[in-house]
Amino acid sequence: MNFCSQCAHPLVFEVPAGDERPRYLCKACGAIHYQNPKIIAGTLPIWQDKVLLCKRAIAPRQGYWTLPAGFMENGETTKAAAARETWEEALAEVNVGELYTLTSLPRIGQVQMLYLAELIEPTFSAGPESLEVELFSEDEIPWDELAFVTISNALRHYFDDRRNNHFPTRHIDLVD
Ligand code: ZN
């Protein structure tokens, strides 16, 4: 961040009075430009014994499989964001259920929230950010071609939990 978004003056990066960490400050208009983690919301969409995955058409991890998820927008709830992303990436309508994995990714400043969800019908196809969308049973999951560790964590927990028919929310800290 180089210039003030309110007055276009160059910014400095220093600790404001009464604060503890450096921020982007505008000495011209006094604005403090805080930077905070972003929320990624998505679903683990289920149809019968299968899970819906999307092959990514875009970087990062183009060509790898993921669960539908993306940046939450202002003005929406986390569940609404999860349903919207599922529609945009997989053209699939879901009933969003309980929060399943909540992952902190402090190194990249993200919090990822994945919800269990049920497909309303087995109807889906690739949205603009996906190359393919497919339902996978447990023994068909392309474990070596998953895009992100948050996705493999959620899928591994899901198939384990299914054996007990109990799906507790997992809080995961991915610190490295
Ligand atoms: Zn300013």
Side-chain angles (χ1 to χ4, degrees):
M1 188 173 272
N2 295 316
F3 298 98
C4 182
S5 55
Q6 294 185 17
C7 75
H9 198 267
L11 297 172
V12 297
F13 190 63
E14 59 184 54
V15 180
D19 204 336
E20 290 171 352
R21 15 180 124 225
R23 312 283 185 188
Y24 290 96
L25 304 180
C26 178
K27 299 252 169 143
C29 76
I32 304 175
H33 299 277
Y34 294 96
Q35 294 189 308
N36 300 95
K38 293 196 182 309
I39 293 175
I40 310 266
T43 62
L44 195 158
I46 298 151
W47 177 258
Q48 296 171 351
D49 69 334
K50 298 188 173 186
V51 172
L52 193 71
L53 297 178
C54 307
K55 191 182 238 186
R56 291 175 62 82
I58 54 168
R61 304 290 280 163
Q62 185 175 354
Y64 287 80
W65 293 90
T66 190
L67 292 165
F71 289 106
M72 189 178 176
E73 300 286 358
N74 289 334
E76 67 186 357
T77 65
T78 53
K79 281 189 172 186
R84 177 183 52 72
E85 289 291 343
T86 306
W87 175 256
E88 289 177 1
E89 296 184 9
L91 302 179
E93 286 194 83
V94 287
N95 286 321
V96 178
E98 294 300 318
L99 179 62
Y100 192 50
T101 58
L102 174 61
T103 307
S104 288
L105 299 134
R107 188 176 54 81
I108 55 172
Q110 293 183 359
V111 175
Q112 190 179 98
M113 305 175 72
L114 292 174
Y115 287 84
L116 293 175
E118 288 187 348
L119 287 177
I120 293 168
E121 303 172 67
T123 309
F124 49 84
S125 60
E129 295 181 7
S130 304
L131 296 170
E132 294 174 53
V133 178
E134 252 184 74
L135 286 169
F136 292 87
S137 60
E138 181 174 7
D139 58 5
E140 295 167 338
I141 297 282
W143 293 102
D144 296 333
E145 296 167 47
L146 297 178
F148 306 109
V149 67
T150 50
I151 304 304
S152 47
N153 282 342
L155 291 172
R156 200 168 298 118
H157 286 311
Y158 175 71
F159 291 115
D160 283 347
D161 289 347
R162 204 166 64 172
R163 292 178 235 292
N164 310 314
N165 197 27
H166 176 56
F167 302 89
T169 304
R170 298 318 205 288
H171 296 76
I172 301 164
D173 293 334
L174 279 184
V175 287
D176 54 8

PDB file of all heavy atoms in Angstrom, residues 13-46:
ATOM      1  N   PHE A  13       4.624   3.748   7.002  1.00  0.00           N
ATOM      2  CA  PHE A  13       4.297   2.508   7.706  1.00  0.00           C
ATOM      3  C   PHE A  13       4.931   2.600   9.080  1.00  0.00           C
ATOM      4  O   PHE A  13       6.138   2.412   9.237  1.00  0.00           O
ATOM      5  CB  PHE A  13       4.858   1.320   6.913  1.00  0.00           C
ATOM      6  CG  PHE A  13       4.391  -0.027   7.409  1.00  0.00           C
ATOM      7  CD1 PHE A  13       3.044  -0.377   7.384  1.00  0.00           C
ATOM      8  CD2 PHE A  13       5.318  -0.961   7.879  1.00  0.00           C
ATOM      9  CE1 PHE A  13       2.624  -1.639   7.813  1.00  0.00           C
ATOM     10  CE2 PHE A  13       4.887  -2.224   8.325  1.00  0.00           C
ATOM     11  CZ  PHE A  13       3.548  -2.552   8.291  1.00  0.00           C
ATOM     12  N   GLU A  14       4.150   2.966  10.090  1.00  0.00           N
ATOM     13  CA  GLU A  14       4.698   3.105  11.438  1.00  0.00           C
ATOM     14  C   GLU A  14       3.622   2.873  12.483  1.00  0.00           C
ATOM     15  O   GLU A  14       2.437   2.776  12.161  1.00  0.00           O
ATOM     16  CB  GLU A  14       5.377   4.464  11.613  1.00  0.00           C
ATOM     17  CG  GLU A  14       4.473   5.645  11.380  1.00  0.00           C
ATOM     18  CD  GLU A  14       5.246   6.982  11.467  1.00  0.00           C
ATOM     19  OE1 GLU A  14       6.274   7.148  10.757  1.00  0.00           O
ATOM     20  OE2 GLU A  14       4.800   7.860  12.233  1.00  0.00           O
ATOM     21  N   VAL A  15       4.050   2.764  13.747  1.00  0.00           N
ATOM     22  CA  VAL A  15       3.121   2.463  14.832  1.00  0.00           C
ATOM     23  C   VAL A  15       2.388   3.749  15.214  1.00  0.00           C
ATOM     24  O   VAL A  15       3.016   4.720  15.631  1.00  0.00           O
ATOM     25  CB  VAL A  15       3.876   1.901  16.056  1.00  0.00           C
ATOM     26  CG1 VAL A  15       2.902   1.593  17.192  1.00  0.00           C
ATOM     27  CG2 VAL A  15       4.663   0.653  15.667  1.00  0.00           C
ATOM     28  N   PRO A  16       1.056   3.778  15.079  1.00  0.00           N
ATOM     29  CA  PRO A  16       0.310   4.978  15.479  1.00  0.00           C
ATOM     30  C   PRO A  16       0.346   5.158  17.003  1.00  0.00           C
ATOM     31  O   PRO A  16       0.513   4.164  17.732  1.00  0.00           O
ATOM     32  CB  PRO A  16      -1.121   4.705  15.023  1.00  0.00           C
ATOM     33  CG  PRO A  16      -1.070   3.489  14.172  1.00  0.00           C
ATOM     34  CD  PRO A  16       0.162   2.735  14.555  1.00  0.00           C
ATOM     35  N   ALA A  17       0.172   6.380  17.482  1.00  0.00           N
ATOM     36  CA  ALA A  17       0.108   6.643  18.920  1.00  0.00           C
ATOM     37  C   ALA A  17      -0.975   5.760  19.532  1.00  0.00           C
ATOM     38  O   ALA A  17      -2.095   5.677  19.023  1.00  0.00           O
ATOM     39  CB  ALA A  17      -0.202   8.117  19.161  1.00  0.00           C
ATOM     40  N   GLY A  18      -0.616   5.090  20.641  1.00  0.00           N
ATOM     41  CA  GLY A  18      -1.606   4.267  21.333  1.00  0.00           C
ATOM     42  C   GLY A  18      -1.816   2.901  20.729  1.00  0.00           C
ATOM     43  O   GLY A  18      -2.618   2.115  21.227  1.00  0.00           O
ATOM     44  N   ASP A  19      -1.099   2.589  19.650  1.00  0.00           N
ATOM     45  CA  ASP A  19      -1.222   1.267  19.024  1.00  0.00           C
ATOM     46  C   ASP A  19       0.023   0.456  19.369  1.00  0.00           C
ATOM     47  O   ASP A  19       0.949   0.946  20.007  1.00  0.00           O
ATOM     48  CB  ASP A  19      -1.368   1.443  17.500  1.00  0.00           C
ATOM     49  CG  ASP A  19      -2.067   0.258  16.836  1.00  0.00           C
ATOM     50  OD1 ASP A  19      -2.047  -0.853  17.404  1.00  0.00           O
ATOM     51  OD2 ASP A  19      -2.605   0.442  15.734  1.00  0.00           O
ATOM     52  N   GLU A  20       0.037  -0.806  18.925  1.00  0.00           N
ATOM     53  CA  GLU A  20       1.172  -1.684  19.220  1.00  0.00           C
ATOM     54  C   GLU A  20       1.863  -2.206  17.982  1.00  0.00           C
ATOM     55  O   GLU A  20       2.911  -2.815  18.077  1.00  0.00           O
ATOM     56  CB  GLU A  20       0.698  -2.879  20.052  1.00  0.00           C
ATOM     57  CG  GLU A  20       0.307  -2.496  21.460  1.00  0.00           C
ATOM     58  CD  GLU A  20      -0.370  -3.642  22.194  1.00  0.00           C
ATOM     59  OE1 GLU A  20      -0.659  -4.669  21.538  1.00  0.00           O
ATOM     60  OE2 GLU A  20      -0.596  -3.488  23.398  1.00  0.00           O
ATOM     61  N   ARG A  21       1.246  -2.026  16.809  1.00  0.00           N
ATOM     62  CA  ARG A  21       1.857  -2.557  15.602  1.00  0.00           C
ATOM     63  C   ARG A  21       1.847  -1.506  14.499  1.00  0.00           C
ATOM     64  O   ARG A  21       1.034  -0.581  14.513  1.00  0.00           O
ATOM     65  CB  ARG A  21       1.178  -3.820  15.086  1.00  0.00           C
ATOM     66  CG  ARG A  21      -0.148  -4.093  15.662  1.00  0.00           C
ATOM     67  CD  ARG A  21      -0.763  -5.344  15.107  1.00  0.00           C
ATOM     68  NE  ARG A  21      -1.100  -6.271  16.162  1.00  0.00           N
ATOM     69  CZ  ARG A  21      -0.843  -7.563  16.114  1.00  0.00           C
ATOM     70  NH1 ARG A  21      -0.265  -8.080  15.053  1.00  0.00           N
ATOM     71  NH2 ARG A  21      -1.174  -8.333  17.105  1.00  0.00           N
ATOM     72  N   PRO A  22       2.777  -1.663  13.560  1.00  0.00           N
ATOM     73  CA  PRO A  22       2.832  -0.681  12.477  1.00  0.00           C
ATOM     74  C   PRO A  22       1.602  -0.758  11.580  1.00  0.00           C
ATOM     75  O   PRO A  22       1.053  -1.835  11.350  1.00  0.00           O
ATOM     76  CB  PRO A  22       4.109  -1.069  11.702  1.00  0.00           C
ATOM     77  CG  PRO A  22       4.419  -2.456  12.104  1.00  0.00           C
ATOM     78  CD  PRO A  22       3.815  -2.689  13.448  1.00  0.00           C
ATOM     79  N   ARG A  23       1.171   0.393  11.123  1.00  0.00           N
ATOM     80  CA  ARG A  23       0.014   0.511  10.207  1.00  0.00           C
ATOM     81  C   ARG A  23       0.408   1.467   9.093  1.00  0.00           C
ATOM     82  O   ARG A  23       1.337   2.264   9.231  1.00  0.00           O
ATOM     83  CB  ARG A  23      -1.194   1.128  10.932  1.00  0.00           C
ATOM     84  CG  ARG A  23      -1.526   0.544  12.275  1.00  0.00           C
ATOM     85  CD  ARG A  23      -2.226  -0.782  12.161  1.00  0.00           C
ATOM     86  NE  ARG A  23      -2.633  -1.279  13.481  1.00  0.00           N
ATOM     87  CZ  ARG A  23      -3.142  -2.496  13.679  1.00  0.00           C
ATOM     88  NH1 ARG A  23      -3.292  -3.336  12.667  1.00  0.00           N
ATOM     89  NH2 ARG A  23      -3.488  -2.884  14.885  1.00  0.00           N
ATOM     90  N   TYR A  24      -0.373   1.421   8.011  1.00  0.00           N
ATOM     91  CA  TYR A  24      -0.200   2.413   6.951  1.00  0.00           C
ATOM     92  C   TYR A  24      -0.936   3.684   7.366  1.00  0.00           C
ATOM     93  O   TYR A  24      -2.159   3.688   7.514  1.00  0.00           O
ATOM     94  CB  TYR A  24      -0.726   1.876   5.623  1.00  0.00           C
ATOM     95  CG  TYR A  24       0.149   0.782   5.072  1.00  0.00           C
ATOM     96  CD1 TYR A  24      -0.157  -0.556   5.288  1.00  0.00           C
ATOM     97  CD2 TYR A  24       1.313   1.100   4.371  1.00  0.00           C
ATOM     98  CE1 TYR A  24       0.671  -1.564   4.800  1.00  0.00           C
ATOM     99  CE2 TYR A  24       2.147   0.100   3.885  1.00  0.00           C
ATOM    100  CZ  TYR A  24       1.818  -1.224   4.103  1.00  0.00           C
ATOM    101  OH  TYR A  24       2.645  -2.214   3.628  1.00  0.00           O
ATOM    102  N   LEU A  25      -0.153   4.764   7.554  1.00  0.00           N
ATOM    103  CA  LEU A  25      -0.698   6.034   8.052  1.00  0.00           C
ATOM    104  C   LEU A  25      -0.599   7.096   6.977  1.00  0.00           C
ATOM    105  O   LEU A  25       0.391   7.159   6.251  1.00  0.00           O
ATOM    106  CB  LEU A  25       0.121   6.559   9.235  1.00  0.00           C
ATOM    107  CG  LEU A  25       0.331   5.683  10.450  1.00  0.00           C
ATOM    108  CD1 LEU A  25       1.170   6.463  11.460  1.00  0.00           C
ATOM    109  CD2 LEU A  25      -1.004   5.321  11.051  1.00  0.00           C
ATOM    110  N   CYS A  26      -1.617   7.960   6.945  1.00  0.00           N
ATOM    111  CA  CYS A  26      -1.563   9.134   6.091  1.00  0.00           C
ATOM    112  C   CYS A  26      -1.346  10.352   6.975  1.00  0.00           C
ATOM    113  O   CYS A  26      -2.199  10.690   7.799  1.00  0.00           O
ATOM    114  CB  CYS A  26      -2.856   9.290   5.297  1.00  0.00           C
ATOM    115  SG  CYS A  26      -2.829  10.761   4.267  1.00  0.00           S
ATOM    116  N   LYS A  27      -0.188  10.987   6.803  1.00  0.00           N
ATOM    117  CA  LYS A  27       0.116  12.153   7.633  1.00  0.00           C
ATOM    118  C   LYS A  27      -0.606  13.395   7.114  1.00  0.00           C
ATOM    119  O   LYS A  27      -0.640  14.408   7.789  1.00  0.00           O
ATOM    120  CB  LYS A  27       1.628  12.390   7.648  1.00  0.00           C
ATOM    121  CG  LYS A  27       2.396  11.212   8.233  1.00  0.00           C
ATOM    122  CD  LYS A  27       2.947  11.522   9.602  1.00  0.00           C
ATOM    123  CE  LYS A  27       3.452  10.257  10.252  1.00  0.00           C
ATOM    124  NZ  LYS A  27       4.646  10.422  11.043  1.00  0.00           N
ATOM    125  N   ALA A  28      -1.179  13.315   5.929  1.00  0.00           N
ATOM    126  CA  ALA A  28      -1.891  14.467   5.376  1.00  0.00           C
ATOM    127  C   ALA A  28      -3.311  14.551   5.949  1.00  0.00           C
ATOM    128  O   ALA A  28      -3.718  15.597   6.460  1.00  0.00           O
ATOM    129  CB  ALA A  28      -1.940  14.377   3.858  1.00  0.00           C
ATOM    130  N   CYS A  29      -4.074  13.424   5.875  1.00  0.00           N
ATOM    131  CA  CYS A  29      -5.467  13.499   6.327  1.00  0.00           C
ATOM    132  C   CYS A  29      -5.705  12.738   7.635  1.00  0.00           C
ATOM    133  O   CYS A  29      -6.815  12.779   8.180  1.00  0.00           O
ATOM    134  CB  CYS A  29      -6.416  12.991   5.235  1.00  0.00           C
ATOM    135  SG  CYS A  29      -6.449  11.206   5.073  1.00  0.00           S
ATOM    136  N   GLY A  30      -4.675  12.034   8.119  1.00  0.00           N
ATOM    137  CA  GLY A  30      -4.818  11.353   9.400  1.00  0.00           C
ATOM    138  C   GLY A  30      -5.424   9.963   9.323  1.00  0.00           C
ATOM    139  O   GLY A  30      -5.602   9.291  10.343  1.00  0.00           O
ATOM    140  N   ALA A  31      -5.755   9.483   8.120  1.00  0.00           N
ATOM    141  CA  ALA A  31      -6.376   8.157   7.989  1.00  0.00           C
ATOM    142  C   ALA A  31      -5.375   7.068   8.379  1.00  0.00           C
ATOM    143  O   ALA A  31      -4.178   7.166   8.088  1.00  0.00           O
ATOM    144  CB  ALA A  31      -6.852   7.937   6.557  1.00  0.00           C
ATOM    145  N   ILE A  32      -5.878   6.040   9.055  1.00  0.00           N
ATOM    146  CA  ILE A  32      -5.091   4.836   9.338  1.00  0.00           C
ATOM    147  C   ILE A  32      -5.697   3.713   8.513  1.00  0.00           C
ATOM    148  O   ILE A  32      -6.885   3.409   8.635  1.00  0.00           O
ATOM    149  CB  ILE A  32      -5.127   4.479  10.841  1.00  0.00           C
ATOM    150  CG1 ILE A  32      -4.641   5.659  11.681  1.00  0.00           C
ATOM    151  CG2 ILE A  32      -4.289   3.227  11.107  1.00  0.00           C
ATOM    152  CD1 ILE A  32      -4.770   5.428  13.197  1.00  0.00           C
ATOM    153  N   HIS A  33      -4.885   3.096   7.654  1.00  0.00           N
ATOM    154  CA  HIS A  33      -5.401   2.052   6.754  1.00  0.00           C
ATOM    155  C   HIS A  33      -5.070   0.682   7.356  1.00  0.00           C
ATOM    156  O   HIS A  33      -3.990   0.144   7.135  1.00  0.00           O
ATOM    157  CB  HIS A  33      -4.808   2.236   5.360  1.00  0.00           C
ATOM    158  CG  HIS A  33      -5.172   3.558   4.746  1.00  0.00           C
ATOM    159  ND1 HIS A  33      -6.364   3.771   4.101  1.00  0.00           N
ATOM    160  CD2 HIS A  33      -4.527   4.758   4.736  1.00  0.00           C
ATOM    161  CE1 HIS A  33      -6.427   5.031   3.682  1.00  0.00           C
ATOM    162  NE2 HIS A  33      -5.322   5.649   4.067  1.00  0.00           N
ATOM    163  N   TYR A  34      -6.007   0.156   8.131  1.00  0.00           N
ATOM    164  CA  TYR A  34      -5.813  -1.138   8.791  1.00  0.00           C
ATOM    165  C   TYR A  34      -5.878  -2.260   7.764  1.00  0.00           C
ATOM    166  O   TYR A  34      -6.678  -2.205   6.824  1.00  0.00           O
ATOM    167  CB  TYR A  34      -6.890  -1.367   9.853  1.00  0.00           C
ATOM    168  CG  TYR A  34      -6.802  -0.411  11.009  1.00  0.00           C
ATOM    169  CD1 TYR A  34      -7.574   0.753  11.043  1.00  0.00           C
ATOM    170  CD2 TYR A  34      -5.927  -0.647  12.067  1.00  0.00           C
ATOM    171  CE1 TYR A  34      -7.486   1.645  12.092  1.00  0.00           C
ATOM    172  CE2 TYR A  34      -5.833   0.233  13.131  1.00  0.00           C
ATOM    173  CZ  TYR A  34      -6.622   1.388  13.140  1.00  0.00           C
ATOM    174  OH  TYR A  34      -6.533   2.261  14.185  1.00  0.00           O
ATOM    175  N   GLN A  35      -5.064  -3.283   7.994  1.00  0.00           N
ATOM    176  CA  GLN A  35      -5.150  -4.484   7.156  1.00  0.00           C
ATOM    177  C   GLN A  35      -5.418  -5.663   8.071  1.00  0.00           C
ATOM    178  O   GLN A  35      -4.713  -5.878   9.054  1.00  0.00           O
ATOM    179  CB  GLN A  35      -3.845  -4.680   6.387  1.00  0.00           C
ATOM    180  CG  GLN A  35      -3.631  -3.562   5.369  1.00  0.00           C
ATOM    181  CD  GLN A  35      -2.474  -3.850   4.442  1.00  0.00           C
ATOM    182  OE1 GLN A  35      -1.378  -4.147   4.892  1.00  0.00           O
ATOM    183  NE2 GLN A  35      -2.722  -3.761   3.153  1.00  0.00           N
ATOM    184  N   ASN A  36      -6.454  -6.410   7.770  1.00  0.00           N
ATOM    185  CA  ASN A  36      -6.902  -7.515   8.623  1.00  0.00           C
ATOM    186  C   ASN A  36      -7.140  -8.755   7.775  1.00  0.00           C
ATOM    187  O   ASN A  36      -7.279  -8.651   6.564  1.00  0.00           O
ATOM    188  CB  ASN A  36      -8.196  -7.112   9.356  1.00  0.00           C
ATOM    189  CG  ASN A  36      -7.979  -5.889  10.222  1.00  0.00           C
ATOM    190  OD1 ASN A  36      -8.237  -4.769   9.792  1.00  0.00           O
ATOM    191  ND2 ASN A  36      -7.464  -6.080  11.410  1.00  0.00           N
ATOM    192  N   PRO A  37      -7.212  -9.925   8.428  1.00  0.00           N
ATOM    193  CA  PRO A  37      -7.405 -11.151   7.652  1.00  0.00           C
ATOM    194  C   PRO A  37      -8.694 -11.130   6.841  1.00  0.00           C
ATOM    195  O   PRO A  37      -9.685 -10.496   7.213  1.00  0.00           O
ATOM    196  CB  PRO A  37      -7.471 -12.248   8.730  1.00  0.00           C
ATOM    197  CG  PRO A  37      -6.730 -11.680   9.883  1.00  0.00           C
ATOM    198  CD  PRO A  37      -7.026 -10.202   9.866  1.00  0.00           C
ATOM    199  N   LYS A  38      -8.664 -11.867   5.738  1.00  0.00           N
ATOM    200  CA  LYS A  38      -9.847 -12.015   4.895  1.00  0.00           C
ATOM    201  C   LYS A  38     -10.500 -13.371   5.174  1.00  0.00           C
ATOM    202  O   LYS A  38      -9.825 -14.330   5.523  1.00  0.00           O
ATOM    203  CB  LYS A  38      -9.439 -11.947   3.420  1.00  0.00           C
ATOM    204  CG  LYS A  38      -8.933 -10.570   3.026  1.00  0.00           C
ATOM    205  CD  LYS A  38      -8.913 -10.425   1.529  1.00  0.00           C
ATOM    206  CE  LYS A  38      -8.377  -9.074   1.076  1.00  0.00           C
ATOM    207  NZ  LYS A  38      -9.019  -7.926   1.723  1.00  0.00           N
ATOM    208  N   ILE A  39     -11.810 -13.417   4.999  1.00  0.00           N
ATOM    209  CA  ILE A  39     -12.559 -14.653   5.225  1.00  0.00           C
ATOM    210  C   ILE A  39     -12.866 -15.329   3.893  1.00  0.00           C
ATOM    211  O   ILE A  39     -13.365 -14.686   2.962  1.00  0.00           O
ATOM    212  CB  ILE A  39     -13.869 -14.374   5.985  1.00  0.00           C
ATOM    213  CG1 ILE A  39     -13.527 -13.910   7.408  1.00  0.00           C
ATOM    214  CG2 ILE A  39     -14.774 -15.619   6.005  1.00  0.00           C
ATOM    215  CD1 ILE A  39     -14.729 -13.488   8.214  1.00  0.00           C
ATOM    216  N   ILE A  40     -12.536 -16.609   3.837  1.00  0.00           N
ATOM    217  CA  ILE A  40     -12.878 -17.460   2.695  1.00  0.00           C
ATOM    218  C   ILE A  40     -13.999 -18.388   3.165  1.00  0.00           C
ATOM    219  O   ILE A  40     -13.850 -19.053   4.191  1.00  0.00           O
ATOM    220  CB  ILE A  40     -11.689 -18.353   2.307  1.00  0.00           C
ATOM    221  CG1 ILE A  40     -10.412 -17.548   2.151  1.00  0.00           C
ATOM    222  CG2 ILE A  40     -12.018 -19.222   1.099  1.00  0.00           C
ATOM    223  CD1 ILE A  40     -10.111 -17.092   0.791  1.00  0.00           C
ATOM    224  N   ALA A  41     -15.100 -18.423   2.448  1.00  0.00           N
ATOM    225  CA  ALA A  41     -16.214 -19.296   2.826  1.00  0.00           C
ATOM    226  C   ALA A  41     -16.497 -20.267   1.690  1.00  0.00           C
ATOM    227  O   ALA A  41     -16.394 -19.915   0.510  1.00  0.00           O
ATOM    228  CB  ALA A  41     -17.465 -18.471   3.120  1.00  0.00           C
ATOM    229  N   GLY A  42     -16.845 -21.498   2.069  1.00  0.00           N
ATOM    230  CA  GLY A  42     -17.135 -22.497   1.044  1.00  0.00           C
ATOM    231  C   GLY A  42     -17.910 -23.654   1.620  1.00  0.00           C
ATOM    232  O   GLY A  42     -18.319 -23.643   2.780  1.00  0.00           O
ATOM    233  N   THR A  43     -18.128 -24.662   0.757  1.00  0.00           N
ATOM    234  CA  THR A  43     -18.918 -25.818   1.184  1.00  0.00           C
ATOM    235  C   THR A  43     -18.197 -27.120   0.853  1.00  0.00           C
ATOM    236  O   THR A  43     -17.328 -27.173  -0.017  1.00  0.00           O
ATOM    237  CB  THR A  43     -20.292 -25.860   0.492  1.00  0.00           C
ATOM    238  OG1 THR A  43     -20.102 -25.977  -0.920  1.00  0.00           O
ATOM    239  CG2 THR A  43     -21.120 -24.631   0.810  1.00  0.00           C
ATOM    240  N   LEU A  44     -18.633 -28.133   1.577  1.00  0.00           N
ATOM    241  CA  LEU A  44     -18.314 -29.523   1.245  1.00  0.00           C
ATOM    242  C   LEU A  44     -19.660 -30.100   0.777  1.00  0.00           C
ATOM    243  O   LEU A  44     -20.472 -30.527   1.594  1.00  0.00           O
ATOM    244  CB  LEU A  44     -17.757 -30.215   2.494  1.00  0.00           C
ATOM    245  CG  LEU A  44     -17.028 -31.547   2.322  1.00  0.00           C
ATOM    246  CD1 LEU A  44     -16.110 -31.804   3.496  1.00  0.00           C
ATOM    247  CD2 LEU A  44     -17.998 -32.691   2.139  1.00  0.00           C
ATOM    248  N   PRO A  45     -19.940 -30.047  -0.538  1.00  0.00           N
ATOM    249  CA  PRO A  45     -21.272 -30.399  -1.046  1.00  0.00           C
ATOM    250  C   PRO A  45     -21.412 -31.914  -1.193  1.00  0.00           C
ATOM    251  O   PRO A  45     -20.563 -32.566  -1.792  1.00  0.00           O
ATOM    252  CB  PRO A  45     -21.338 -29.729  -2.420  1.00  0.00           C
ATOM    253  CG  PRO A  45     -20.084 -28.911  -2.559  1.00  0.00           C
ATOM    254  CD  PRO A  45     -19.094 -29.490  -1.618  1.00  0.00           C
ATOM    255  N   ILE A  46     -22.493 -32.451  -0.669  1.00  0.00           N
ATOM    256  CA  ILE A  46     -22.683 -33.894  -0.595  1.00  0.00           C
ATOM    257  C   ILE A  46     -23.929 -34.286  -1.396  1.00  0.00           C
ATOM    258  O   ILE A  46     -24.965 -33.600  -1.330  1.00  0.00           O
ATOM    259  CB  ILE A  46     -22.859 -34.317   0.886  1.00  0.00           C
ATOM    260  CG1 ILE A  46     -21.589 -33.975   1.672  1.00  0.00           C
ATOM    261  CG2 ILE A  46     -23.184 -35.812   0.999  1.00  0.00           C
ATOM    262  CD1 ILE A  46     -21.867 -33.687   3.125  1.00  0.00           C
TER     263      ILE A  46
END
